[in-house]
Amino acid sequence: MVAIIKTEKLTKSYGSHRGIVDVDLEVQQGEVFGFLGPNGAGKTTTIRVILDLIRPTGGKAFVFGIDSTVDPVAIHRRVGYLPGEFTLYDKLTGGETLEYFANLRGGIDRTYQTSLIERFDLDPSRKFKEYSKGNKQKVGLVVALQHKPDLLILDEPTSGLDPLVQQTFFAVLREAVAEDRTVFFSSHVLSEAEKACDRVAIIRDGKIVMVDRVDALRDLAAHQVELRFTGPVPAAEFEKIPGVTGVVAEDHVLRMHVAGPIAPVVKAAARFELADFVSREPNLEETFLAQYGQSSVEVANHGH
């Protein structure tokens, strides 16, 4: 099976500014692949090199098995791309903008185009410069989606969209994947990846630190466990369990962080007079912080 996107030691250096170093990625047909990391980690640079909008300093990128520097036109023909930042023609209306890109491509299914405009609740009669950030983003999304490309490459696609439109957007992605098309999108909002992705790669400081299934990411982070006892609190019993940290006893309540399997804690708790057991699964943001330390804290604070 040919990987839809494959990079081999992809590197782009901007002199003293950080670019990307030895990025190895493989995205298979029909999957939603999330590309996660804090702002400035190298997500946009990677996307631009993959699309041959900028040239790599080293390494290679292949899309549909084609070397991106050899025949980018053949690649672009089958791709829908939404840049992280884009400007369009201020004097054209939203509808005229969509029309312009549709004619540039040719072969657009009009009913699909109309259904996207309706589902994203976009007023196509207004001039582009009158649109809010969210409405500009909707125009960009319809441009990327309207020709039903084999591969969608979306850089921070939900930026500026309200929650209802975000839901619509993720529904549209699921439909694309149901047709065996492929989605690659970057984000710094980890809860989005949780909703939408099959697999994710995490990039930090220009290097890939992890590639895995979304559910595997959750296993990395510690569960927060709270045990409520009817009698004295056996804190020492739990402190010696592997993976248990931060044990705090307060009145009849014991709180702790549990990394890895939770079964040993459940077994230990069962030997005592237990009144209540609460375990909270971490979200991906907490996972990110647990894994990569406080310097990634801008991930959690951004966009909320």
Side-chain angles (χ1 to χ4, degrees):
M1 193 168 145
V2 176
I4 299 293
I5 298 175
K6 184 175 170 57
T7 69
E8 294 170 356
K9 296 213 173 316
L10 201 58
T11 300
K12 175 70 181 176
S13 31
Y14 295 113
S16 59
H17 293 296
R18 184 186 309 136
I20 54 171
V21 182
D22 290 346
V23 168
D24 288 328
L25 286 175
E26 206 163 299
V27 179
Q28 302 300 336
Q29 185 168 352
E31 73 174 332
V32 180
F33 194 97
F35 194 39
L36 303 178
N39 291 328
K43 301 188 297 291
T44 297
T45 298
T46 306
I47 286 174
R48 286 182 177 152
V49 176
I50 286 171
L51 287 170
D52 196 48
L53 302 175
I54 52 179
R55 285 278 156 103
T57 316
K60 283 186 182 306
F62 300 89
V63 185
F64 309 119
I66 302 164
D67 183 329
S68 66
T69 61
V70 171
D71 194 354
V73 175
I75 291 170
H76 293 176
R77 195 170 286 136
R78 299 170 60 191
V79 168
Y81 170 48
L82 177 75
E85 308 262 325
F86 60 90
T87 44
L88 289 169
Y89 306 105
D90 273 352
K91 293 193 169 63
L92 293 185
T93 63
E96 287 165 346
T97 304
L98 296 178
E99 208 46 37
Y100 170 73
F101 281 101
N103 292 337
L104 213 52
R105 287 228 173 237
I108 301 280
D109 174 348
R110 294 291 164 195
T111 47
Y112 184 60
Q113 184 193 52
T114 308
S115 82
L116 288 173
I117 293 168
E118 284 168 4
R119 288 172 71 183
F120 284 129
D121 195 21
L122 175 69
D123 175 358
S125 66
R126 296 181 56 182
K127 287 206 167 33
F128 190 76
K129 67 166 183 251
E130 295 169 5
Y131 283 135
S132 65
K133 164 87 176 108
N135 281 321
K136 286 179 175 167
Q137 193 72 2
K138 292 175 189 177
V139 174
L141 279 171
V142 178
V143 168
L145 291 161
Q146 64 180 357
H147 55 291
K148 292 201 168 181
D150 294 329
L151 170 63
L152 281 160
I153 296 186
L154 310 169
D155 197 351
E156 303 271 354
T158 58
S159 172
L161 299 181
D162 67 57
L164 272 175
V165 179
Q166 286 189 23
Q167 279 182 351
T168 304
F169 164 70
F170 287 122
V172 170
L173 290 194
R174 282 191 290 276
E175 289 158 20
V177 168
E179 295 170 357
D180 225 14
R181 300 189 281 130
T182 306
V183 179
F184 180 88
F185 83 89
S186 81
S187 175
H188 63 263
V189 185
L190 294 165
S191 54
E192 289 185 358
E194 241 168 335
K195 278 206 270 302
C197 297
D198 302 305
R199 290 193 306 140
V200 296
I202 293 177
I203 186 168
R204 182 160 185 238
D205 295 345
K207 296 187 181 74
I208 301 287
V209 289
M210 174 174 180
V211 180
D212 214 330
R213 294 196 59 76
V214 158
D215 38 18
L217 275 178
R218 287 194 201 98
D219 300 340
L220 281 176
H223 283 69
Q224 291 178 327
V225 175
E226 189 174 290
L227 304 174
R228 197 174 288 274
F229 296 93
T230 50
V233 173
E237 291 293 320
F238 292 89
E239 283 166 348
K240 59 188 188 211
I241 297 173
V244 170
T245 53
V247 177
V248 179
E250 200 175 283
D251 297 330
H252 288 289
V253 178
L254 198 56
R255 292 188 185 86
M256 67 196 76
H257 288 271
V258 184
I262 201 164
V265 175
V266 177
K267 285 191 181 118
R271 303 207 310 272
F272 301 95
E273 293 294 313
L274 195 62
D276 195 12
F277 183 117
V278 180
S279 166
R280 198 174 69 72
E281 192 174 296
N283 64 24
L284 289 187
E285 246 145 65
E286 291 163 320
T287 306
F288 206 90
L289 292 178
Q291 200 60 12
Y292 305 113
Q294 291 307 310
S295 63
S296 305
V297 94
E298 71 262 29
V299 180
N301 291 340
H302 209 91
H304 288 299

